Amino acid sequence: MNAGILGLGRYLPDKIVTNADLEKIMDTSDEWIRTRTGIEERRIANDDIDTSDMAYEAAKAALKNAEISAEEIDLILVATVTPDQSFPSVACMIQEKLGAMKAAAMDVSAACAGFMYAMITAQQFIQSGAYKHVLIVGVEKLSKVTNWEDRNTAVLFGDGAGAAVLGPVSDGKGVLSFELGADGTGGKHLLQEGDFIHMNGREVFKFAVRQMGESSLGVLDKAGLTKEDVDLLVPHQANIRIMEASRERLGLPLEKMTKTVHKYGNTSSASIPMALVEEMEAGRIKDNDLIVMVGFGGGLTWGAIALRWGK
Ligand code: UT7
């Protein structure tokens, strides 16, 4: 049984924080942020909106888009490193809100690669025939673990949520191949210590450029495809320079790579599903398109998926 995406949804906080806003509260500049990261603005959730609220809104939108009711969901997986609390999980919280009472529910912790991990976990359950419909959400309220006095990290992140309903699709469609990986020896380069995120930007940058390229080529190879077959590259939206390096490694023209980092910053596990929604809403994804998604993050973790769009 092949597993594919039946529907997508997202939630974006209303509040926009621009680089000019950040210039007022820390020693940084719009010019530095734009040229080093490609980020122009990001969304920040209000205090009364927590991770589960954003996850719920994105999940509701994905169910509607998939035309699947909450009662038909067998499993809920929420990829997040910023849950409301350690337990109950965000997945259990949205199970109640959605009324998805038949569903098993758990959170997945793989940082920015979390949505890739959740999608492949879902795919395995569907492929085996154990479950039919799996709801996956990538959601982060990174603003609550951001040290607003640390310009090395504060300018990079944003809040948001993206969700997908996965289910059986016809032969040749859906997930064609995947690669997931981890390297705990690099955990020290990107972590939450105490209340805040700490990062060795240069080390993460080097790892990301290498891994994004290798994993993208790896999934194409596993699927028996080549760079020329790719219709759309959806990289984790962390930094435009890292994204560009992946695009160049695949030899793709500009228009074949999704770019949302300028508007939303790095939203960790939410970045790939939010980017997919953006492409879907713009009408840029067509039936049978070959999409390569690739992410990397704290852990260190990484993941890539080659997916043939359509049901
Ligand atoms: O989802 C995964 C999350 N993490 C990532 O994706 C991060 C990957 N790494 C990066 O994106 C880049 O390394 C950064 C954007 C974080 C930094 O860019 P860089 O080109 O590697 O800069 P750098 O760390 O080498 O810093 C260059 C300079 C430093 O000044 P000195 O020491 O050369 O005088 C920093 O202090 O830029 C300074 N700097 C800033 N200046 C203005 C660092 N942050 C800022 C800032 N505004 N916000």
Side-chain angles (χ1 to χ4, degrees):
M1 195 72 79
N2 286 1
I5 294 176
L6 306 182
L8 290 164
R10 74 172 168 184
Y11 172 81
L12 281 170
D14 295 330
K15 187 161 90 192
I16 295 173
V17 174
T18 64
N19 292 346
D21 294 328
L22 294 180
E23 280 178 353
K24 290 178 204 142
I25 58 167
M26 65 185 76
D27 179 19
T28 190
S29 67
D30 174 51
E31 209 262 328
W32 190 96
I33 303 171
R34 269 175 207 262
T35 53
R36 297 294 178 120
T37 73
I39 299 167
E40 293 167 20
E41 57 187 46
R42 68 287 291 143
R43 303 294 178 103
I44 300 293
N46 289 331
D47 288 347
D48 60 343
I49 294 174
D50 210 340
T51 301
S52 63
D53 302 306
M54 296 194 285
Y56 169 63
E57 294 300 333
K60 234 180 13 180
L63 286 168
K64 187 164 177 244
N65 183 244
E67 298 177 353
I68 300 278
S69 71
E71 298 79 44
E72 292 173 89
I73 297 295
D74 301 302
L75 174 66
I76 301 172
L77 300 171
V78 175
T80 187
V81 290
T82 50
D84 297 40
Q85 63 273 312
S86 58
F87 66 94
S89 63
V90 176
C92 284
M93 294 176 78
I94 68 168
Q95 184 228 28
E96 184 200 3
K97 279 187 166 181
L98 293 167
M101 300 322 288
K102 208 179 88 188
M106 67 171 173
D107 287 357
V108 175
S109 176
C112 305
F115 196 77
M116 298 292 89
Y117 271 74
M119 188 179 290
I120 293 309
T121 307
Q123 181 241 357
Q124 297 296 310
F125 277 108
I126 295 164
Q127 199 175 44
S128 71
Y131 289 144
K132 191 165 179 201
H133 295 125
V134 183
L135 170 67
I136 60 172
V137 185
V139 57
E140 302 294 354
K141 190 178 180 188
L142 291 168
S143 58
K144 67 182 175 184
V145 292
T146 297
N147 179 356
W148 293 102
E149 289 175 5
D150 175 15
R151 68 175 185 173
N152 290 301
T153 54
V155 301
L156 304 175
F157 301 114
D159 300 334
V165 177
L166 267 69
V169 292
S170 47
D171 258 7
K173 297 211 169 155
V175 175
L176 305 178
S177 62
F178 72 89
E179 207 176 279
L180 295 177
D183 176 8
T185 64
K188 57 184 178 289
H189 298 314
L190 176 53
L191 71 162
Q192 185 181 337
E193 205 169 30
D195 291 336
F196 299 127
I197 300 171
H198 296 266
M199 185 176 69
N200 179 341
R202 279 192 194 167
E203 284 302 322
V204 178
F205 192 96
K206 280 191 282 181
F207 153 72
V209 166
R210 190 184 68 245
Q211 200 57 55
M212 298 266 276
E214 275 171 23
S215 296
S216 305
L217 291 170
V219 291
L220 287 172
D221 193 45
K222 280 184 186 166
L225 297 165
T226 66
K227 301 190 262 192
E228 287 72 35
D229 296 312
V230 178
D231 294 298
L232 189 64
L233 173 67
V234 185
H236 169 44
Q237 307 284 311
N239 181 319
I240 191 67
R241 290 152 57 210
I242 298 172
M243 293 159 55
E244 279 295 311
S246 319
R247 184 179 68 77
E248 279 162 21
R249 190 88 187 264
L250 293 190
L252 297 176
L254 266 179
E255 65 275 12
K256 286 196 175 179
M257 181 181 77
T258 303
K259 184 186 142 200
T260 62
V261 68
H262 58 301
K263 292 192 286 188
Y264 312 131
N266 179 351
T267 57
S268 186
S269 65
S271 95
I272 290 177
M274 290 202 329
L276 281 172
V277 173
E278 187 114 345
E279 293 291 355
M280 182 184 73
E281 288 180 351
R284 295 215 316 169
I285 308 181
K286 302 180 303 299
D287 200 38
N288 271 320
D289 272 358
L290 177 70
I291 302 178
V292 172
M293 294 169 266
V294 59
F296 68 93
L300 300 168
T301 55
W302 62 89
I305 297 174
L307 177 129
R308 180 77 65 193
W309 189 257
K311 298 178 188 172

